Coordinates of all heavy atoms in Angstrom, one line a residue:
I69 N -13.3 -0.5 6.0 CA -12.0 -0.3 5.5 C -11.8 -1.1 4.3 O -12.3 -2.2 4.1 CB -11.0 -0.7 6.6 CG1 -9.6 0.0 6.3 CG2 -10.8 -2.1 6.8 CD1 -8.7 0.0 7.6
V70 N -11.0 -0.6 3.3 CA -10.7 -1.4 2.1 C -9.4 -2.1 2.3 O -8.4 -1.5 2.6 CB -10.6 -0.4 0.9 CG1 -10.3 -1.3 -0.4 CG2 -11.9 0.4 0.7
V71 N -9.5 -3.4 2.3 CA -8.3 -4.3 2.5 C -7.7 -4.7 1.2 O -8.4 -5.3 0.4 CB -8.6 -5.4 3.5 CG1 -9.7 -6.3 2.9 CG2 -7.3 -6.3 3.7
G72 N -6.4 -4.5 1.1 CA -5.7 -4.9 -0.1 C -4.6 -5.9 0.3 O -4.3 -6.1 1.5
A73 N -4.0 -6.6 -0.7 CA -3.0 -7.5 -0.5 C -1.7 -7.0 -1.1 O -1.6 -6.5 -2.2 CB -3.3 -8.9 -1.2
G74 N -0.6 -7.0 -0.2 CA 0.7 -6.5 -0.7 C 1.6 -7.6 -0.9 O 1.4 -8.8 -0.5
T75 N 2.8 -7.3 -1.4 CA 3.9 -8.3 -1.7 C 3.3 -9.4 -2.6 O 3.6 -10.5 -2.4 CB 4.4 -8.9 -0.4 OG1 4.6 -7.9 0.6 CG2 5.9 -9.5 -0.7
V76 N 2.6 -9.0 -3.6 CA 2.1 -9.9 -4.6 C 3.2 -10.1 -5.7 O 3.5 -9.1 -6.4 CB 0.8 -9.4 -5.3 CG1 0.4 -10.3 -6.4 CG2 -0.3 -9.2 -4.2
T77 N 3.7 -11.2 -5.8 CA 4.9 -11.4 -6.6 C 4.7 -12.4 -7.8 O 5.6 -12.6 -8.6 CB 6.1 -11.9 -5.8 OG1 5.8 -13.1 -5.2 CG2 6.5 -10.9 -4.8
G78 N 3.5 -13.0 -7.8 CA 3.2 -14.0 -8.9 C 1.8 -14.3 -9.0 O 0.9 -13.8 -8.3
E79 N 1.5 -15.2 -10.0 CA 0.1 -15.5 -10.3 C -0.6 -16.2 -9.1 O -1.8 -15.9 -8.8 CB 0.0 -16.5 -11.5 CG -1.4 -16.8 -12.0 CD -2.1 -17.9 -11.2 OE1 -1.4 -18.8 -10.6 OE2 -3.3 -17.9 -11.1
R80 N 0.1 -17.0 -8.3 CA -0.5 -17.7 -7.2 C -0.9 -16.7 -6.1 O -2.0 -16.7 -5.5 CB 0.5 -18.7 -6.6 CG -0.1 -19.5 -5.4 CD 0.9 -20.5 -4.9 NE 0.4 -21.2 -3.7 CZ 0.5 -20.8 -2.5 NH1 1.2 -19.7 -2.2 NH2 0.0 -21.5 -1.5
D81 N 0.0 -15.7 -5.8 CA -0.3 -14.7 -4.9 C -1.6 -13.9 -5.3 O -2.5 -13.6 -4.4 CB 0.8 -13.7 -4.7 CG 2.0 -14.3 -4.0 OD1 1.9 -15.3 -3.3 OD2 3.1 -13.7 -4.2
A82 N -1.6 -13.5 -6.6 CA -2.7 -12.7 -7.1 C -4.1 -13.5 -6.9 O -5.1 -13.0 -6.5 CB -2.5 -12.4 -8.5
R83 N -4.0 -14.8 -7.2 CA -5.2 -15.6 -7.1 C -5.6 -15.8 -5.7 O -6.8 -15.7 -5.3 CB -5.0 -17.0 -7.8 CG -6.1 -18.0 -7.6 CD -5.8 -19.2 -8.4 NE -4.5 -19.8 -8.2 CZ -4.1 -20.5 -7.2 NH1 -5.0 -20.8 -6.2 NH2 -2.9 -20.9 -7.1
L84 N -4.7 -16.1 -4.8 CA -5.0 -16.3 -3.4 C -5.6 -15.0 -2.8 O -6.6 -15.1 -2.0 CB -3.8 -16.7 -2.6 CG -3.3 -18.1 -2.7 CD1 -2.0 -18.3 -2.0 CD2 -4.3 -19.1 -2.3
A85 N -5.0 -13.9 -3.1 CA -5.5 -12.6 -2.6 C -7.0 -12.3 -3.1 O -7.8 -11.9 -2.3 CB -4.6 -11.5 -3.0
A86 N -7.2 -12.6 -4.4 CA -8.5 -12.3 -4.9 C -9.6 -13.2 -4.3 O -10.7 -12.8 -3.9 CB -8.5 -12.6 -6.4
E87 N -9.2 -14.5 -4.1 CA -10.1 -15.5 -3.5 C -10.4 -15.1 -2.0 O -11.4 -15.4 -1.5 CB -9.5 -16.9 -3.6 CG -9.5 -17.4 -5.0 CD -8.7 -18.8 -5.0 OE1 -8.1 -19.2 -4.0 OE2 -8.8 -19.4 -6.1
A88 N -9.4 -14.5 -1.3 CA -9.6 -14.1 0.1 C -10.5 -12.9 0.2 O -10.9 -12.6 1.3 CB -8.2 -13.8 0.7
G89 N -10.7 -12.1 -0.9 CA -11.6 -11.0 -0.8 C -10.8 -9.7 -0.8 O -11.4 -8.6 -0.4
A90 N -9.6 -9.7 -1.2 CA -8.8 -8.4 -1.3 C -9.5 -7.4 -2.3 O -10.0 -7.9 -3.3 CB -7.4 -8.7 -1.7
G91 N -9.5 -6.1 -1.9 CA -10.1 -5.1 -2.7 C -9.1 -4.6 -3.7 O -9.5 -3.9 -4.7
F92 N -7.8 -4.7 -3.5 CA -6.8 -4.3 -4.4 C -5.5 -5.1 -4.2 O -5.4 -5.8 -3.2 CB -6.6 -2.8 -4.3 CG -6.1 -2.3 -3.0 CD1 -4.7 -2.2 -2.7 CD2 -6.9 -2.0 -1.9 CE1 -4.2 -1.8 -1.5 CE2 -6.5 -1.6 -0.7 CZ -5.1 -1.5 -0.5
L93 N -4.6 -5.0 -5.1 CA -3.3 -5.7 -5.1 C -2.2 -4.7 -5.2 O -2.3 -3.7 -5.9 CB -3.2 -6.7 -6.2 CG -4.4 -7.7 -6.3 CD1 -4.1 -8.6 -7.5 CD2 -4.5 -8.6 -5.1
V94 N -1.1 -5.0 -4.5 CA 0.1 -4.1 -4.6 C 1.3 -5.1 -4.8 O 1.5 -6.0 -4.2 CB 0.4 -3.4 -3.3 CG1 1.6 -2.4 -3.4 CG2 -0.9 -2.6 -2.9
T95 N 2.2 -4.7 -5.8 CA 3.3 -5.5 -6.1 C 4.6 -4.7 -5.8 O 4.6 -3.5 -5.9 CB 3.3 -5.9 -7.6 OG1 3.7 -4.7 -8.4 CG2 2.0 -6.4 -8.1
P96 N 5.7 -5.4 -5.4 CA 6.9 -4.7 -5.1 C 7.7 -4.3 -6.3 O 8.5 -3.4 -6.3 CB 7.7 -5.8 -4.3 CG 7.2 -7.1 -4.8 CD 5.7 -6.9 -5.1
G97 N 7.4 -5.0 -7.4 CA 8.1 -4.7 -8.7 C 7.2 -5.1 -9.8 O 6.0 -5.5 -9.6
S98 N 7.6 -5.0 -11.1 CA 6.7 -5.2 -12.2 C 7.4 -6.0 -13.3 O 8.5 -5.6 -13.9 CB 6.2 -3.9 -12.8 OG 5.5 -3.2 -11.8
T99 N 6.9 -7.2 -13.6 CA 7.3 -8.0 -14.7 C 6.1 -8.1 -15.6 O 5.0 -8.0 -15.2 CB 7.9 -9.3 -14.4 OG1 6.9 -10.2 -13.8 CG2 9.1 -9.2 -13.3
D100 N 6.3 -8.5 -16.9 CA 5.2 -8.7 -17.8 C 4.3 -9.8 -17.2 O 3.0 -9.6 -17.2 CB 5.7 -9.1 -19.2 CG 6.3 -7.9 -19.9 OD1 5.9 -6.8 -19.6 OD2 7.1 -8.1 -20.8
A101 N 4.8 -10.9 -16.8 CA 4.0 -12.0 -16.2 C 3.2 -11.6 -15.0 O 2.0 -11.9 -14.9 CB 4.9 -13.2 -15.9
L102 N 3.8 -10.8 -14.2 CA 3.2 -10.4 -12.9 C 2.1 -9.4 -13.2 O 0.9 -9.5 -12.7 CB 4.2 -9.7 -12.0 CG 3.6 -9.2 -10.6 CD1 2.8 -10.3 -9.9 CD2 4.7 -8.6 -9.8
L103 N 2.3 -8.5 -14.1 CA 1.3 -7.5 -14.5 C 0.1 -8.2 -15.2 O -1.1 -7.8 -14.9 CB 1.9 -6.5 -15.5 CG 2.9 -5.5 -14.9 CD1 3.6 -4.7 -16.1 CD2 2.3 -4.6 -13.9
D104 N 0.3 -9.2 -16.0 CA -0.7 -9.9 -16.6 C -1.6 -10.7 -15.5 O -2.8 -10.8 -15.6 CB -0.2 -11.0 -17.6 CG 0.3 -10.3 -18.8 OD1 0.0 -9.1 -19.1 OD2 1.1 -10.9 -19.6
A105 N -0.8 -11.2 -14.5 CA -1.5 -12.0 -13.5 C -2.4 -11.1 -12.6 O -3.6 -11.4 -12.3 CB -0.5 -12.7 -12.6
V106 N -1.9 -10.0 -12.2 CA -2.7 -9.1 -11.3 C -3.9 -8.5 -12.1 O -5.0 -8.3 -11.6 CB -1.9 -8.0 -10.7 CG1 -0.9 -8.6 -9.6 CG2 -1.2 -7.1 -11.6
A107 N -3.6 -8.1 -13.4 CA -4.7 -7.6 -14.2 C -5.7 -8.6 -14.5 O -7.0 -8.3 -14.6 CB -4.1 -7.1 -15.6
G108 N -5.3 -9.9 -14.5 CA -6.3 -11.0 -14.8 C -7.3 -11.2 -13.7 O -8.3 -11.8 -13.9
T109 N -7.0 -10.7 -12.5 CA -7.9 -10.8 -11.3 C -9.1 -9.9 -11.5 O -10.2 -10.0 -10.8 CB -7.3 -10.6 -10.0 OG1 -6.9 -9.2 -9.9 CG2 -6.0 -11.5 -9.8
G110 N -8.9 -8.8 -12.3 CA -9.9 -7.8 -12.4 C -9.9 -6.8 -11.2 O -10.7 -5.8 -11.2
L111 N -9.0 -6.9 -10.3 CA -8.9 -6.0 -9.2 C -8.0 -4.8 -9.5 O -7.0 -4.9 -10.3 CB -8.3 -6.8 -8.0 CG -9.1 -7.9 -7.3 CD1 -8.3 -8.6 -6.3 CD2 -10.4 -7.3 -6.8
P112 N -8.3 -3.7 -8.9 CA -7.3 -2.6 -9.1 C -6.0 -2.9 -8.4 O -6.0 -3.7 -7.5 CB -8.0 -1.4 -8.4 CG -9.0 -2.1 -7.4 CD -9.4 -3.3 -8.1
F113 N -4.9 -2.3 -9.0 CA -3.6 -2.6 -8.4 C -2.6 -1.5 -8.5 O -2.8 -0.7 -9.4 CB -3.1 -3.9 -9.0 CG -2.8 -3.8 -10.5 CD1 -1.6 -3.4 -11.0 CD2 -3.8 -4.1 -11.4 CE1 -1.4 -3.3 -12.4 CE2 -3.6 -4.0 -12.8 CZ -2.4 -3.6 -13.3
L114 N -1.7 -1.5 -7.6 CA -0.6 -0.6 -7.7 C 0.7 -1.4 -8.0 O 1.2 -2.1 -7.2 CB -0.4 0.2 -6.4 CG -1.4 1.2 -6.0 CD1 -1.1 1.7 -4.6 CD2 -1.5 2.3 -7.0
P115 N 1.3 -1.2 -9.2 CA 2.5 -2.0 -9.6 C 3.7 -1.2 -9.1 O 3.8 0.0 -9.1 CB 2.4 -2.0 -11.1 CG 1.7 -0.7 -11.5 CD 0.7 -0.5 -10.4
G116 N 4.7 -2.0 -8.6 CA 5.9 -1.4 -8.1 C 6.9 -1.0 -9.1 O 7.1 -1.7 -10.1
V117 N 7.5 0.2 -8.9 CA 8.6 0.7 -9.8 C 9.7 1.3 -8.9 O 9.5 1.8 -7.8 CB 8.2 1.7 -10.8 CG1 7.1 1.1 -11.7 CG2 7.7 3.0 -10.1
A118 N 11.0 1.3 -9.4 CA 12.1 1.9 -8.7 C 12.9 2.8 -9.6 O 13.8 3.5 -9.1 CB 12.9 0.9 -8.0
T119 N 12.6 2.8 -10.9 CA 13.4 3.6 -11.9 C 12.6 4.3 -12.9 O 11.4 4.0 -13.0 CB 14.4 2.7 -12.7 OG1 13.6 1.9 -13.6 CG2 15.2 1.8 -11.8
V120 N 13.2 5.3 -13.5 CA 12.4 6.1 -14.5 C 12.0 5.1 -15.7 O 10.9 5.2 -16.2 CB 13.4 7.2 -15.1 CG1 12.7 7.9 -16.3 CG2 13.6 8.2 -14.0
S121 N 12.9 4.3 -16.1 CA 12.5 3.4 -17.3 C 11.4 2.5 -16.9 O 10.4 2.3 -17.7 CB 13.7 2.5 -17.6 OG 14.8 3.3 -18.2
E122 N 11.3 1.9 -15.7 CA 10.2 1.1 -15.2 C 8.9 1.9 -15.2 O 7.9 1.4 -15.7 CB 10.5 0.6 -13.8 CG 11.6 -0.5 -13.8 CD 11.9 -0.9 -12.4 OE1 11.6 -0.2 -11.4 OE2 12.5 -2.0 -12.2
A123 N 9.0 3.1 -14.8 CA 7.8 4.0 -14.7 C 7.3 4.3 -16.1 O 6.1 4.2 -16.4 CB 8.1 5.3 -14.0
M124 N 8.2 4.5 -17.1 CA 7.8 4.8 -18.4 C 7.2 3.6 -19.1 O 6.3 3.7 -19.9 CB 9.0 5.3 -19.2 CG 9.5 6.7 -18.8 SD 11.0 7.2 -19.6 CE 10.5 7.4 -21.3
L125 N 7.8 2.4 -18.8 CA 7.2 1.2 -19.4 C 5.8 0.9 -18.9 O 4.9 0.5 -19.7 CB 8.1 0.0 -19.1 CG 9.4 -0.2 -19.8 CD1 10.3 -1.2 -19.2 CD2 9.2 -0.4 -21.3
L126 N 5.5 1.2 -17.7 CA 4.2 1.0 -17.2 C 3.2 2.0 -17.7 O 2.1 1.8 -18.0 CB 4.2 1.0 -15.6 CG 4.9 -0.1 -14.9 CD1 4.7 0.0 -13.4 CD2 4.4 -1.5 -15.4
A127 N 3.7 3.3 -17.9 CA 2.9 4.3 -18.5 C 2.5 3.9 -19.9 O 1.4 4.2 -20.4 CB 3.7 5.6 -18.5
E128 N 3.4 3.2 -20.6 CA 3.1 2.7 -22.0 C 2.0 1.7 -22.0 O 1.2 1.6 -22.9 CB 4.3 2.1 -22.6 CG 5.4 3.1 -23.0 CD 6.6 2.5 -23.6 OE1 6.7 1.2 -23.7 OE2 7.6 3.2 -24.0
R129 N 1.8 1.1 -20.8 CA 0.7 0.1 -20.7 C -0.6 0.7 -20.1 O -1.5 0.0 -19.8 CB 1.1 -1.1 -19.8 CG 2.2 -1.9 -20.4 CD 2.7 -3.1 -19.5 NE 1.6 -4.0 -19.3 CZ 1.8 -5.4 -19.3 NH1 3.0 -5.9 -19.4 NH2 0.8 -6.2 -19.1
G130 N -0.5 2.0 -19.9 CA -1.7 2.8 -19.4 C -1.8 2.8 -17.9 O -2.8 3.2 -17.3
L131 N -0.7 2.5 -17.3 CA -0.7 2.4 -15.8 C 0.0 3.7 -15.3 O 1.2 3.9 -15.6 CB 0.1 1.2 -15.3 CG -0.4 -0.2 -15.8 CD1 0.6 -1.2 -15.4 CD2 -1.7 -0.4 -15.4
T132 N -0.8 4.5 -14.6 CA -0.3 5.8 -14.2 C -0.3 6.0 -12.7 O 0.2 7.0 -12.2 CB -1.1 6.9 -14.8 OG1 -2.5 6.8 -14.5 CG2 -1.0 6.9 -16.4
E133 N -0.9 5.1 -11.9 CA -0.8 5.1 -10.5 C 0.1 4.0 -10.0 O -0.2 2.8 -10.2 CB -2.2 5.0 -9.9 CG -3.1 6.1 -10.1 CD -4.4 6.0 -9.4 OE1 -4.7 5.0 -8.8 OE2 -5.2 7.0 -9.5
L134 N 1.3 4.4 -9.5 CA 2.3 3.4 -9.2 C 2.8 3.4 -7.8 O 2.7 4.4 -7.1 CB 3.5 3.7 -10.1 CG 3.2 4.0 -11.6 CD1 4.5 4.4 -12.3 CD2 2.6 2.8 -12.3
K135 N 3.4 2.3 -7.4 CA 4.0 2.2 -6.1 C 5.5 2.4 -6.3 O 6.2 1.8 -7.2 CB 3.8 0.8 -5.5 CG 4.7 0.5 -4.2 CD 4.4 -0.8 -3.7 CE 5.3 -1.2 -2.5 NZ 5.0 -2.5 -1.8
F136 N 6.1 3.4 -5.5 CA 7.5 3.6 -5.7 C 8.2 2.9 -4.5 O 8.0 3.2 -3.3 CB 7.8 5.2 -5.6 CG 9.3 5.5 -5.5 CD1 10.1 5.0 -6.5 CD2 9.7 6.5 -4.6 CE1 11.5 5.3 -6.5 CE2 11.1 6.8 -4.6 CZ 12.0 6.2 -5.5
F137 N 8.9 1.8 -4.8 CA 9.5 0.9 -3.8 C 10.9 0.4 -4.3 O 11.0 0.0 -5.5 CB 8.5 -0.2 -3.6 CG 9.1 -1.2 -2.6 CD1 9.0 -1.0 -1.2 CD2 9.7 -2.4 -3.1 CE1 9.5 -1.9 -0.3 CE2 10.2 -3.3 -2.2 CZ 10.1 -3.1 -0.8
P138 N 11.8 0.3 -3.4 CA 11.8 0.8 -2.0 C 12.2 2.3 -2.1 O 13.2 2.7 -2.6 CB 12.9 0.0 -1.4 CG 13.9 -0.4 -2.5 CD 13.0 -0.5 -3.7
A139 N 11.3 3.1 -1.5 CA 11.4 4.5 -1.7 C 12.7 5.2 -1.2 O 13.4 5.8 -2.0 CB 10.2 5.2 -1.0
E140 N 13.0 5.0 0.0 CA 14.2 5.6 0.5 C 15.5 5.1 -0.2 O 16.4 5.9 -0.5 CB 14.3 5.4 2.0 CG 13.3 6.3 2.8 CD 13.7 7.8 2.7 OE1 14.8 8.2 3.2 OE2 12.9 8.5 2.1
A141 N 15.6 3.8 -0.4 CA 16.8 3.3 -1.0 C 16.9 3.6 -2.5 O 18.0 3.5 -3.0 CB 16.7 1.7 -0.8
S142 N 15.8 4.1 -3.1 CA 15.8 4.4 -4.5 C 15.8 5.9 -4.8 O 15.6 6.3 -6.0 CB 14.5 3.7 -5.2 OG 14.5 2.3 -5.0
G143 N 16.1 6.6 -3.8 CA 16.2 8.1 -4.1 C 15.3 9.0 -3.3 O 15.4 10.2 -3.3
G144 N 14.3 8.4 -2.7 CA 13.4 9.1 -1.8 C 12.7 10.3 -2.5 O 12.4 10.3 -3.7
V145 N 12.5 11.3 -1.6 CA 11.8 12.6 -2.0 C 12.5 13.2 -3.2 O 11.9 13.7 -4.1 CB 11.8 13.6 -0.8 CG1 11.3 14.9 -1.3 CG2 10.9 13.0 0.2
G146 N 13.8 13.3 -3.2 CA 14.6 13.9 -4.3 C 14.3 13.3 -5.6 O 14.2 13.9 -6.6
F147 N 14.2 12.0 -5.7 CA 14.0 11.2 -6.9 C 12.6 11.6 -7.5 O 12.4 11.9 -8.7 CB 14.1 9.7 -6.7 CG 13.7 8.9 -7.9 CD1 14.7 8.6 -8.9 CD2 12.4 8.4 -8.1 CE1 14.3 7.8 -10.0 CE2 12.1 7.7 -9.2 CZ 13.0 7.4 -10.1
L148 N 11.6 11.5 -6.6 CA 10.3 11.8 -7.1 C 10.1 13.3 -7.5 O 9.4 13.5 -8.5 CB 9.2 11.5 -6.0 CG 9.0 10.0 -5.7 CD1 8.1 9.8 -4.5 CD2 8.5 9.3 -6.9

Side-chain angles (χ1 to χ4, degrees):
I69 202 165
V70 181
V71 57
T75 319
V76 176
T77 60
E79 187 277 333
R80 180 177 180 274
D81 288 343
R83 175 172 47 81
L84 286 175
E87 292 174 351
F92 62 93
L93 306 176
V94 184
T95 73
S98 300
T99 66
D100 287 336
L102 179 56
L103 292 172
D104 290 342
V106 294
T109 67
L111 294 172
F113 62 93
L114 288 177
V117 300
T119 70
V120 173
S121 293
E122 289 173 343
M124 292 175 66
L125 285 171
L126 293 187
E128 289 177 358
R129 295 182 64 141
L131 304 174
T132 59
E133 293 186 353
L134 313 175
K135 171 180 177 174
F136 177 46
F137 176 84
E140 284 294 294
S142 300
V145 171
F147 176 87
L148 289 176

